[in-house]
Amino acid sequence: MKGNVSVSQIARDFASPSYSKALFQFGNTLMLYVTSVYLMFALLPVSYGYVLATSLLATVAHVRLFMIGHDCAHRSYLPRKGWQNKALGNFIGVLTNTPLDYWGSQHLVHHQTVGNLDKRGYGDVGTLTTEEFKAMGFWSRVWYRIGRNPHVLMFILAPIHFLIMQRFPFEQKNPPRKVWLSIMGTNLGMMIYYGTLVSFFGLESVLFVFAPVLLMSSTIAVWLFYVQHQFDEAYWEREETWNYKNATLKGSSFYNLPRWLHWATGNIGYHHLHHLNPKIPNYKLADCHYADPMLQEGKSINFWESFRLAKLSLWDESARRLISFAEFDRTSETTRQP
């Protein structure tokens, strides 16, 4: 594939959902989730250690279900892009506590504005420039530092986002009717789902089974979407120079994970291709990535490197790169010295 063929044209060839691949993936993921949750309830009288060990399998299935629901929000998972994706996405939304149309509307804006400094704050983690941070008051800077601390972000704010913030349209002003219906419908489905389990097993058992799964899966989901836009030479531009194609390939990374982790995370590690063409279903992203060397030219980060990158919190417009608070403090101290 040479000549005048663009990466967008190559990727477009993979933007075709498949019933067989979609239903196989959804089927084995749902089976893993149901089986592992059943085992957790069965093991409660035996040992909570066994329950926690089994919760790792349930967490993997929960994350995969969320990624399938993510594809449904893009109308890319099943061939009938309208009602089939919506129906499946709403069902998965009950299991993952995520209203399809509410979360999806925020996420779609993120795709349309990723890397745009003048359109931040939609479906992403807030990022300030160094100059904006300098201009803030003391307590505003303290709260920003706390909110951008990876431990606070992943272990506190991530569960709050999925368990509380998705129960009401906190992040939208004047939300449309479909968003309200999505939220209220998901909340009702959750009441029926968890209420039925409570009636059979009791509130305490349900809490002991689902607490570790929901906490771990929400942390992993936020981590995956967060860290793949977090690297030193990421893409941030003002509106007048912002370019969608550059934002996708330069502002999103390939999370170079072992094959089993790609499977466990629904292939969201091929994030550069997902942003290049959100209509590519997750089960075709790997094939797309290896279809042509041009699709492998984006930023690649490995598992261990991602932990260092998670600390990057401010965009330095003059240096055109993300920096950590530590680097910002060192630079500020140097400029203050006579």
Side-chain angles (χ1 to χ4, degrees), residues 276-310:
L276 178 65
N277 192 332
K279 294 301 181 184
I280 302 174
N282 77 81
Y283 46 78
K284 288 191 174 182
L285 284 171
D287 291 339
C288 180
H289 178 75
Y290 293 106
D292 192 280
M294 287 194 296
L295 296 171
Q296 303 167 29
E297 293 176 358
K299 174 66 177 181
S300 176
I301 60 175
N302 63 44
F303 180 74
W304 297 112
E305 182 185 12
S306 65
F307 291 96
R308 176 187 68 82
L309 299 177

PDB file of all heavy atoms in Angstrom, residues 276-310:
ATOM      1  N   LEU A 276      -7.955   7.776  15.096  1.00  0.00           N
ATOM      2  CA  LEU A 276      -7.895   8.031  13.656  1.00  0.00           C
ATOM      3  C   LEU A 276      -9.222   7.683  12.998  1.00  0.00           C
ATOM      4  O   LEU A 276      -9.723   8.419  12.147  1.00  0.00           O
ATOM      5  CB  LEU A 276      -6.770   7.215  13.027  1.00  0.00           C
ATOM      6  CG  LEU A 276      -6.616   7.331  11.501  1.00  0.00           C
ATOM      7  CD1 LEU A 276      -6.216   8.759  11.123  1.00  0.00           C
ATOM      8  CD2 LEU A 276      -5.588   6.332  10.993  1.00  0.00           C
ATOM      9  N   ASN A 277      -9.805   6.558  13.405  1.00  0.00           N
ATOM     10  CA  ASN A 277     -11.101   6.141  12.861  1.00  0.00           C
ATOM     11  C   ASN A 277     -11.878   5.394  13.947  1.00  0.00           C
ATOM     12  O   ASN A 277     -11.707   4.188  14.115  1.00  0.00           O
ATOM     13  CB  ASN A 277     -10.922   5.257  11.633  1.00  0.00           C
ATOM     14  CG  ASN A 277     -12.228   5.042  10.881  1.00  0.00           C
ATOM     15  OD1 ASN A 277     -13.310   5.081  11.471  1.00  0.00           O
ATOM     16  ND2 ASN A 277     -12.144   4.817   9.585  1.00  0.00           N
ATOM     17  N   PRO A 278     -12.761   6.104  14.672  1.00  0.00           N
ATOM     18  CA  PRO A 278     -13.525   5.467  15.762  1.00  0.00           C
ATOM     19  C   PRO A 278     -14.512   4.406  15.280  1.00  0.00           C
ATOM     20  O   PRO A 278     -15.085   3.703  16.118  1.00  0.00           O
ATOM     21  CB  PRO A 278     -14.275   6.651  16.394  1.00  0.00           C
ATOM     22  CG  PRO A 278     -13.561   7.872  15.932  1.00  0.00           C
ATOM     23  CD  PRO A 278     -13.025   7.545  14.577  1.00  0.00           C
ATOM     24  N   LYS A 279     -14.702   4.287  13.986  1.00  0.00           N
ATOM     25  CA  LYS A 279     -15.634   3.288  13.461  1.00  0.00           C
ATOM     26  C   LYS A 279     -14.987   1.910  13.324  1.00  0.00           C
ATOM     27  O   LYS A 279     -15.653   0.948  12.946  1.00  0.00           O
ATOM     28  CB  LYS A 279     -16.180   3.730  12.099  1.00  0.00           C
ATOM     29  CG  LYS A 279     -17.048   4.985  12.171  1.00  0.00           C
ATOM     30  CD  LYS A 279     -18.249   4.790  13.086  1.00  0.00           C
ATOM     31  CE  LYS A 279     -19.135   6.023  13.145  1.00  0.00           C
ATOM     32  NZ  LYS A 279     -20.255   5.861  14.101  1.00  0.00           N
ATOM     33  N   ILE A 280     -13.696   1.800  13.616  1.00  0.00           N
ATOM     34  CA  ILE A 280     -13.047   0.492  13.602  1.00  0.00           C
ATOM     35  C   ILE A 280     -13.401  -0.223  14.907  1.00  0.00           C
ATOM     36  O   ILE A 280     -13.080   0.261  15.990  1.00  0.00           O
ATOM     37  CB  ILE A 280     -11.522   0.614  13.489  1.00  0.00           C
ATOM     38  CG1 ILE A 280     -11.129   1.385  12.233  1.00  0.00           C
ATOM     39  CG2 ILE A 280     -10.869  -0.769  13.487  1.00  0.00           C
ATOM     40  CD1 ILE A 280      -9.646   1.677  12.134  1.00  0.00           C
ATOM     41  N   PRO A 281     -14.078  -1.363  14.850  1.00  0.00           N
ATOM     42  CA  PRO A 281     -14.403  -2.078  16.092  1.00  0.00           C
ATOM     43  C   PRO A 281     -13.137  -2.585  16.766  1.00  0.00           C
ATOM     44  O   PRO A 281     -12.124  -2.852  16.111  1.00  0.00           O
ATOM     45  CB  PRO A 281     -15.287  -3.234  15.610  1.00  0.00           C
ATOM     46  CG  PRO A 281     -14.963  -3.409  14.168  1.00  0.00           C
ATOM     47  CD  PRO A 281     -14.576  -2.059  13.641  1.00  0.00           C
ATOM     48  N   ASN A 282     -13.183  -2.726  18.075  1.00  0.00           N
ATOM     49  CA  ASN A 282     -11.961  -3.064  18.821  1.00  0.00           C
ATOM     50  C   ASN A 282     -11.349  -4.372  18.367  1.00  0.00           C
ATOM     51  O   ASN A 282     -10.133  -4.549  18.411  1.00  0.00           O
ATOM     52  CB  ASN A 282     -12.246  -3.087  20.328  1.00  0.00           C
ATOM     53  CG  ASN A 282     -12.980  -4.339  20.775  1.00  0.00           C
ATOM     54  OD1 ASN A 282     -12.385  -5.388  20.976  1.00  0.00           O
ATOM     55  ND2 ASN A 282     -14.292  -4.245  20.942  1.00  0.00           N
ATOM     56  N   TYR A 283     -12.183  -5.319  17.887  1.00  0.00           N
ATOM     57  CA  TYR A 283     -11.649  -6.620  17.496  1.00  0.00           C
ATOM     58  C   TYR A 283     -10.928  -6.586  16.139  1.00  0.00           C
ATOM     59  O   TYR A 283     -10.405  -7.601  15.692  1.00  0.00           O
ATOM     60  CB  TYR A 283     -12.757  -7.680  17.487  1.00  0.00           C
ATOM     61  CG  TYR A 283     -14.054  -7.256  16.812  1.00  0.00           C
ATOM     62  CD1 TYR A 283     -14.181  -7.244  15.428  1.00  0.00           C
ATOM     63  CD2 TYR A 283     -15.148  -6.865  17.571  1.00  0.00           C
ATOM     64  CE1 TYR A 283     -15.364  -6.855  14.816  1.00  0.00           C
ATOM     65  CE2 TYR A 283     -16.338  -6.473  16.969  1.00  0.00           C
ATOM     66  CZ  TYR A 283     -16.446  -6.474  15.589  1.00  0.00           C
ATOM     67  OH  TYR A 283     -17.617  -6.079  14.988  1.00  0.00           O
ATOM     68  N   LYS A 284     -10.880  -5.415  15.498  1.00  0.00           N
ATOM     69  CA  LYS A 284     -10.126  -5.286  14.240  1.00  0.00           C
ATOM     70  C   LYS A 284      -8.953  -4.321  14.364  1.00  0.00           C
ATOM     71  O   LYS A 284      -8.215  -4.109  13.391  1.00  0.00           O
ATOM     72  CB  LYS A 284     -11.063  -4.823  13.114  1.00  0.00           C
ATOM     73  CG  LYS A 284     -12.040  -5.892  12.644  1.00  0.00           C
ATOM     74  CD  LYS A 284     -12.740  -5.477  11.362  1.00  0.00           C
ATOM     75  CE  LYS A 284     -13.615  -6.612  10.826  1.00  0.00           C
ATOM     76  NZ  LYS A 284     -14.264  -6.237   9.530  1.00  0.00           N
ATOM     77  N   LEU A 285      -8.767  -3.733  15.537  1.00  0.00           N
ATOM     78  CA  LEU A 285      -7.714  -2.731  15.698  1.00  0.00           C
ATOM     79  C   LEU A 285      -6.313  -3.323  15.541  1.00  0.00           C
ATOM     80  O   LEU A 285      -5.428  -2.704  14.936  1.00  0.00           O
ATOM     81  CB  LEU A 285      -7.840  -2.047  17.053  1.00  0.00           C
ATOM     82  CG  LEU A 285      -8.961  -1.009  17.176  1.00  0.00           C
ATOM     83  CD1 LEU A 285      -9.125  -0.576  18.629  1.00  0.00           C
ATOM     84  CD2 LEU A 285      -8.682   0.200  16.290  1.00  0.00           C
ATOM     85  N   ALA A 286      -6.090  -4.519  16.082  1.00  0.00           N
ATOM     86  CA  ALA A 286      -4.763  -5.129  15.975  1.00  0.00           C
ATOM     87  C   ALA A 286      -4.417  -5.423  14.517  1.00  0.00           C
ATOM     88  O   ALA A 286      -3.301  -5.146  14.061  1.00  0.00           O
ATOM     89  CB  ALA A 286      -4.699  -6.412  16.805  1.00  0.00           C
ATOM     90  N   ASP A 287      -5.370  -5.982  13.762  1.00  0.00           N
ATOM     91  CA  ASP A 287      -5.137  -6.260  12.344  1.00  0.00           C
ATOM     92  C   ASP A 287      -4.848  -4.969  11.588  1.00  0.00           C
ATOM     93  O   ASP A 287      -3.992  -4.933  10.702  1.00  0.00           O
ATOM     94  CB  ASP A 287      -6.355  -6.950  11.732  1.00  0.00           C
ATOM     95  CG  ASP A 287      -6.547  -8.367  12.255  1.00  0.00           C
ATOM     96  OD1 ASP A 287      -5.566  -8.944  12.763  1.00  0.00           O
ATOM     97  OD2 ASP A 287      -7.669  -8.891  12.156  1.00  0.00           O
ATOM     98  N   CYS A 288      -5.566  -3.920  11.940  1.00  0.00           N
ATOM     99  CA  CYS A 288      -5.347  -2.625  11.283  1.00  0.00           C
ATOM    100  C   CYS A 288      -3.940  -2.109  11.580  1.00  0.00           C
ATOM    101  O   CYS A 288      -3.247  -1.637  10.684  1.00  0.00           O
ATOM    102  CB  CYS A 288      -6.406  -1.627  11.772  1.00  0.00           C
ATOM    103  SG  CYS A 288      -6.254   0.026  11.053  1.00  0.00           S
ATOM    104  N   HIS A 289      -3.519  -2.220  12.837  1.00  0.00           N
ATOM    105  CA  HIS A 289      -2.215  -1.707  13.247  1.00  0.00           C
ATOM    106  C   HIS A 289      -1.084  -2.343  12.441  1.00  0.00           C
ATOM    107  O   HIS A 289      -0.130  -1.670  12.040  1.00  0.00           O
ATOM    108  CB  HIS A 289      -2.005  -1.978  14.733  1.00  0.00           C
ATOM    109  CG  HIS A 289      -0.677  -1.535  15.258  1.00  0.00           C
ATOM    110  ND1 HIS A 289      -0.370  -0.216  15.499  1.00  0.00           N
ATOM    111  CD2 HIS A 289       0.442  -2.245  15.593  1.00  0.00           C
ATOM    112  CE1 HIS A 289       0.867  -0.127  15.957  1.00  0.00           C
ATOM    113  NE2 HIS A 289       1.378  -1.341  16.021  1.00  0.00           N
ATOM    114  N   TYR A 290      -1.195  -3.658  12.190  1.00  0.00           N
ATOM    115  CA  TYR A 290      -0.112  -4.370  11.511  1.00  0.00           C
ATOM    116  C   TYR A 290      -0.321  -4.472  10.002  1.00  0.00           C
ATOM    117  O   TYR A 290       0.456  -5.136   9.306  1.00  0.00           O
ATOM    118  CB  TYR A 290       0.033  -5.772  12.110  1.00  0.00           C
ATOM    119  CG  TYR A 290       0.515  -5.726  13.547  1.00  0.00           C
ATOM    120  CD1 TYR A 290      -0.351  -5.997  14.611  1.00  0.00           C
ATOM    121  CD2 TYR A 290       1.832  -5.380  13.845  1.00  0.00           C
ATOM    122  CE1 TYR A 290       0.080  -5.942  15.924  1.00  0.00           C
ATOM    123  CE2 TYR A 290       2.271  -5.317  15.160  1.00  0.00           C
ATOM    124  CZ  TYR A 290       1.392  -5.593  16.191  1.00  0.00           C
ATOM    125  OH  TYR A 290       1.832  -5.520  17.493  1.00  0.00           O
ATOM    126  N   ALA A 291      -1.335  -3.779   9.496  1.00  0.00           N
ATOM    127  CA  ALA A 291      -1.626  -3.850   8.065  1.00  0.00           C
ATOM    128  C   ALA A 291      -0.627  -3.067   7.224  1.00  0.00           C
ATOM    129  O   ALA A 291      -0.387  -3.410   6.062  1.00  0.00           O
ATOM    130  CB  ALA A 291      -3.042  -3.340   7.786  1.00  0.00           C
ATOM    131  N   ASP A 292      -0.040  -2.030   7.806  1.00  0.00           N
ATOM    132  CA  ASP A 292       0.873  -1.192   7.037  1.00  0.00           C
ATOM    133  C   ASP A 292       1.816  -0.466   7.991  1.00  0.00           C
ATOM    134  O   ASP A 292       1.375  -0.004   9.052  1.00  0.00           O
ATOM    135  CB  ASP A 292       0.082  -0.167   6.207  1.00  0.00           C
ATOM    136  CG  ASP A 292       0.945   0.520   5.176  1.00  0.00           C
ATOM    137  OD1 ASP A 292       1.688   1.456   5.550  1.00  0.00           O
ATOM    138  OD2 ASP A 292       0.882   0.137   3.999  1.00  0.00           O
ATOM    139  N   PRO A 293       3.113  -0.347   7.653  1.00  0.00           N
ATOM    140  CA  PRO A 293       4.063   0.338   8.537  1.00  0.00           C
ATOM    141  C   PRO A 293       3.676   1.781   8.855  1.00  0.00           C
ATOM    142  O   PRO A 293       4.025   2.289   9.928  1.00  0.00           O
ATOM    143  CB  PRO A 293       5.381   0.292   7.734  1.00  0.00           C
ATOM    144  CG  PRO A 293       5.236  -0.899   6.856  1.00  0.00           C
ATOM    145  CD  PRO A 293       3.782  -0.956   6.478  1.00  0.00           C
ATOM    146  N   MET A 294       2.944   2.426   7.946  1.00  0.00           N
ATOM    147  CA  MET A 294       2.547   3.813   8.192  1.00  0.00           C
ATOM    148  C   MET A 294       1.645   3.927   9.418  1.00  0.00           C
ATOM    149  O   MET A 294       1.599   4.966  10.076  1.00  0.00           O
ATOM    150  CB  MET A 294       1.830   4.398   6.971  1.00  0.00           C
ATOM    151  CG  MET A 294       2.737   4.699   5.802  1.00  0.00           C
ATOM    152  SD  MET A 294       1.920   5.745   4.559  1.00  0.00           S
ATOM    153  CE  MET A 294       0.595   4.663   4.017  1.00  0.00           C
ATOM    154  N   LEU A 295       0.914   2.864   9.727  1.00  0.00           N
ATOM    155  CA  LEU A 295       0.008   2.887  10.867  1.00  0.00           C
ATOM    156  C   LEU A 295       0.735   2.621  12.178  1.00  0.00           C
ATOM    157  O   LEU A 295       0.131   2.660  13.252  1.00  0.00           O
ATOM    158  CB  LEU A 295      -1.104   1.854  10.680  1.00  0.00           C
ATOM    159  CG  LEU A 295      -2.037   2.101   9.496  1.00  0.00           C
ATOM    160  CD1 LEU A 295      -2.963   0.915   9.279  1.00  0.00           C
ATOM    161  CD2 LEU A 295      -2.856   3.365   9.722  1.00  0.00           C
ATOM    162  N   GLN A 296       2.042   2.352  12.108  1.00  0.00           N
ATOM    163  CA  GLN A 296       2.838   2.060  13.301  1.00  0.00           C
ATOM    164  C   GLN A 296       3.815   3.176  13.626  1.00  0.00           C
ATOM    165  O   GLN A 296       4.688   3.017  14.482  1.00  0.00           O
ATOM    166  CB  GLN A 296       3.592   0.745  13.086  1.00  0.00           C
ATOM    167  CG  GLN A 296       2.689  -0.435  12.768  1.00  0.00           C
ATOM    168  CD  GLN A 296       3.457  -1.638  12.260  1.00  0.00           C
ATOM    169  OE1 GLN A 296       4.619  -1.849  12.605  1.00  0.00           O
ATOM    170  NE2 GLN A 296       2.824  -2.444  11.419  1.00  0.00           N
ATOM    171  N   GLU A 297       3.655   4.314  12.970  1.00  0.00           N
ATOM    172  CA  GLU A 297       4.621   5.397  13.125  1.00  0.00           C
ATOM    173  C   GLU A 297       4.317   6.325  14.292  1.00  0.00           C
ATOM    174  O   GLU A 297       5.102   7.210  14.597  1.00  0.00           O
ATOM    175  CB  GLU A 297       4.703   6.208  11.828  1.00  0.00           C
ATOM    176  CG  GLU A 297       5.292   5.432  10.660  1.00  0.00           C
ATOM    177  CD  GLU A 297       5.278   6.229   9.359  1.00  0.00           C
ATOM    178  OE1 GLU A 297       4.768   7.364   9.388  1.00  0.00           O
ATOM    179  OE2 GLU A 297       5.766   5.706   8.344  1.00  0.00           O
ATOM    180  N   GLY A 298       3.179   6.157  14.941  1.00  0.00           N
ATOM    181  CA  GLY A 298       2.820   7.027  16.059  1.00  0.00           C
ATOM    182  C   GLY A 298       3.640   6.730  17.300  1.00  0.00           C
ATOM    183  O   GLY A 298       4.502   5.849  17.325  1.00  0.00           O
ATOM    184  N   LYS A 299       3.360   7.475  18.354  1.00  0.00           N
ATOM    185  CA  LYS A 299       4.061   7.300  19.620  1.00  0.00           C
ATOM    186  C   LYS A 299       3.720   5.948  20.231  1.00  0.00           C
ATOM    187  O   LYS A 299       2.556   5.588  20.380  1.00  0.00           O
ATOM    188  CB  LYS A 299       3.646   8.419  20.586  1.00  0.00           C
ATOM    189  CG  LYS A 299       4.205   8.270  21.989  1.00  0.00           C
ATOM    190  CD  LYS A 299       5.725   8.404  22.026  1.00  0.00           C
ATOM    191  CE  LYS A 299       6.243   8.324  23.453  1.00  0.00           C
ATOM    192  NZ  LYS A 299       7.696   8.470  23.539  1.00  0.00           N
ATOM    193  N   SER A 300       4.739   5.185  20.596  1.00  0.00           N
ATOM    194  CA  SER A 300       4.560   3.890  21.247  1.00  0.00           C
ATOM    195  C   SER A 300       5.090   3.994  22.674  1.00  0.00           C
ATOM    196  O   SER A 300       6.204   4.468  22.895  1.00  0.00           O
ATOM    197  CB  SER A 300       5.313   2.800  20.489  1.00  0.00           C
ATOM    198  OG  SER A 300       5.227   1.561  21.170  1.00  0.00           O
ATOM    199  N   ILE A 301       4.277   3.571  23.647  1.00  0.00           N
ATOM    200  CA  ILE A 301       4.729   3.567  25.031  1.00  0.00           C
ATOM    201  C   ILE A 301       4.543   2.162  25.602  1.00  0.00           C
ATOM    202  O   ILE A 301       3.591   1.467  25.248  1.00  0.00           O
ATOM    203  CB  ILE A 301       3.970   4.598  25.897  1.00  0.00           C
ATOM    204  CG1 ILE A 301       2.465   4.310  25.919  1.00  0.00           C
ATOM    205  CG2 ILE A 301       4.229   6.004  25.407  1.00  0.00           C
ATOM    206  CD1 ILE A 301       1.685   5.209  26.858  1.00  0.00           C
ATOM    207  N   ASN A 302       5.469   1.742  26.443  1.00  0.00           N
ATOM    208  CA  ASN A 302       5.334   0.422  27.045  1.00  0.00           C
ATOM    209  C   ASN A 302       4.735   0.527  28.440  1.00  0.00           C
ATOM    210  O   ASN A 302       4.524   1.625  28.968  1.00  0.00           O
ATOM    211  CB  ASN A 302       6.682  -0.319  27.059  1.00  0.00           C
ATOM    212  CG  ASN A 302       7.723   0.389  27.907  1.00  0.00           C
ATOM    213  OD1 ASN A 302       7.432   0.844  29.014  1.00  0.00           O
ATOM    214  ND2 ASN A 302       8.954   0.479  27.399  1.00  0.00           N
ATOM    215  N   PHE A 303       4.469  -0.619  29.034  1.00  0.00           N
ATOM    216  CA  PHE A 303       3.753  -0.666  30.307  1.00  0.00           C
ATOM    217  C   PHE A 303       4.480   0.105  31.404  1.00  0.00           C
ATOM    218  O   PHE A 303       3.889   0.931  32.101  1.00  0.00           O
ATOM    219  CB  PHE A 303       3.552  -2.127  30.720  1.00  0.00           C
ATOM    220  CG  PHE A 303       2.813  -2.291  32.016  1.00  0.00           C
ATOM    221  CD1 PHE A 303       1.446  -2.068  32.088  1.00  0.00           C
ATOM    222  CD2 PHE A 303       3.486  -2.684  33.165  1.00  0.00           C
ATOM    223  CE1 PHE A 303       0.758  -2.222  33.287  1.00  0.00           C
ATOM    224  CE2 PHE A 303       2.810  -2.846  34.366  1.00  0.00           C
ATOM    225  CZ  PHE A 303       1.443  -2.611  34.417  1.00  0.00           C
ATOM    226  N   TRP A 304       5.774  -0.149  31.574  1.00  0.00           N
ATOM    227  CA  TRP A 304       6.503   0.475  32.673  1.00  0.00           C
ATOM    228  C   TRP A 304       6.717   1.962  32.414  1.00  0.00           C
ATOM    229  O   TRP A 304       6.696   2.773  33.353  1.00  0.00           O
ATOM    230  CB  TRP A 304       7.838  -0.235  32.891  1.00  0.00           C
ATOM    231  CG  TRP A 304       7.651  -1.666  33.297  1.00  0.00           C
ATOM    232  CD1 TRP A 304       7.968  -2.784  32.583  1.00  0.00           C
ATOM    233  CD2 TRP A 304       7.051  -2.136  34.518  1.00  0.00           C
ATOM    234  NE1 TRP A 304       7.614  -3.919  33.264  1.00  0.00           N
ATOM    235  CE2 TRP A 304       7.041  -3.557  34.462  1.00  0.00           C
ATOM    236  CE3 TRP A 304       6.524  -1.499  35.642  1.00  0.00           C
ATOM    237  CZ2 TRP A 304       6.536  -4.329  35.493  1.00  0.00           C
ATOM    238  CZ3 TRP A 304       6.007  -2.287  36.663  1.00  0.00           C
ATOM    239  CH2 TRP A 304       6.018  -3.680  36.585  1.00  0.00           C
ATOM    240  N   GLU A 305       6.935   2.346  31.175  1.00  0.00           N
ATOM    241  CA  GLU A 305       7.110   3.760  30.837  1.00  0.00           C
ATOM    242  C   GLU A 305       5.861   4.569  31.167  1.00  0.00           C
ATOM    243  O   GLU A 305       5.939   5.738  31.535  1.00  0.00           O
ATOM    244  CB  GLU A 305       7.439   3.886  29.345  1.00  0.00           C
ATOM    245  CG  GLU A 305       7.699   5.304  28.879  1.00  0.00           C
ATOM    246  CD  GLU A 305       7.902   5.376  27.373  1.00  0.00           C
ATOM    247  OE1 GLU A 305       7.621   4.379  26.672  1.00  0.00           O
ATOM    248  OE2 GLU A 305       8.327   6.451  26.897  1.00  0.00           O
ATOM    249  N   SER A 306       4.697   3.947  31.050  1.00  0.00           N
ATOM    250  CA  SER A 306       3.447   4.678  31.253  1.00  0.00           C
ATOM    251  C   SER A 306       3.313   5.220  32.672  1.00  0.00           C
ATOM    252  O   SER A 306       2.639   6.229  32.882  1.00  0.00           O
ATOM    253  CB  SER A 306       2.252   3.777  30.924  1.00  0.00           C
ATOM    254  OG  SER A 306       2.149   2.678  31.807  1.00  0.00           O
ATOM    255  N   PHE A 307       3.953   4.568  33.656  1.00  0.00           N
ATOM    256  CA  PHE A 307       3.852   5.049  35.031  1.00  0.00           C
ATOM    257  C   PHE A 307       4.602   6.373  35.202  1.00  0.00           C
ATOM    258  O   PHE A 307       4.171   7.237  35.966  1.00  0.00           O
ATOM    259  CB  PHE A 307       4.387   4.005  36.004  1.00  0.00           C
ATOM    260  CG  PHE A 307       3.500   2.791  36.088  1.00  0.00           C
ATOM    261  CD1 PHE A 307       3.777   1.655  35.333  1.00  0.00           C
ATOM    262  CD2 PHE A 307       2.378   2.797  36.889  1.00  0.00           C
ATOM    263  CE1 PHE A 307       2.951   0.550  35.396  1.00  0.00           C
ATOM    264  CE2 PHE A 307       1.540   1.686  36.952  1.00  0.00           C
ATOM    265  CZ  PHE A 307       1.829   0.560  36.201  1.00  0.00           C
ATOM    266  N   ARG A 308       5.711   6.533  34.497  1.00  0.00           N
ATOM    267  CA  ARG A 308       6.416   7.822  34.540  1.00  0.00           C
ATOM    268  C   ARG A 308       5.596   8.893  33.838  1.00  0.00           C
ATOM    269  O   ARG A 308       5.466  10.018  34.332  1.00  0.00           O
ATOM    270  CB  ARG A 308       7.788   7.702  33.864  1.00  0.00           C
ATOM    271  CG  ARG A 308       8.548   9.023  33.793  1.00  0.00           C
ATOM    272  CD  ARG A 308       9.815   8.911  32.977  1.00  0.00           C
ATOM    273  NE  ARG A 308       9.553   8.696  31.557  1.00  0.00           N
ATOM    274  CZ  ARG A 308       9.264   9.676  30.698  1.00  0.00           C
ATOM    275  NH1 ARG A 308       9.181  10.940  31.111  1.00  0.00           N
ATOM    276  NH2 ARG A 308       9.067   9.405  29.422  1.00  0.00           N
ATOM    277  N   LEU A 309       5.001   8.543  32.712  1.00  0.00           N
ATOM    278  CA  LEU A 309       4.252   9.520  31.931  1.00  0.00           C
ATOM    279  C   LEU A 309       3.001   9.994  32.660  1.00  0.00           C
ATOM    280  O   LEU A 309       2.522  11.105  32.419  1.00  0.00           O
ATOM    281  CB  LEU A 309       3.865   8.911  30.584  1.00  0.00           C
ATOM    282  CG  LEU A 309       5.028   8.477  29.684  1.00  0.00           C
ATOM    283  CD1 LEU A 309       4.508   7.824  28.408  1.00  0.00           C
ATOM    284  CD2 LEU A 309       5.902   9.683  29.332  1.00  0.00           C
ATOM    285  N   ALA A 310       2.472   9.165  33.546  1.00  0.00           N
ATOM    286  CA  ALA A 310       1.252   9.532  34.269  1.00  0.00           C
ATOM    287  C   ALA A 310       1.457  10.763  35.137  1.00  0.00           C
ATOM    288  O   ALA A 310       0.489  11.435  35.517  1.00  0.00           O
ATOM    289  CB  ALA A 310       0.778   8.367  35.121  1.00  0.00           C
TER     290      ALA A 310
END
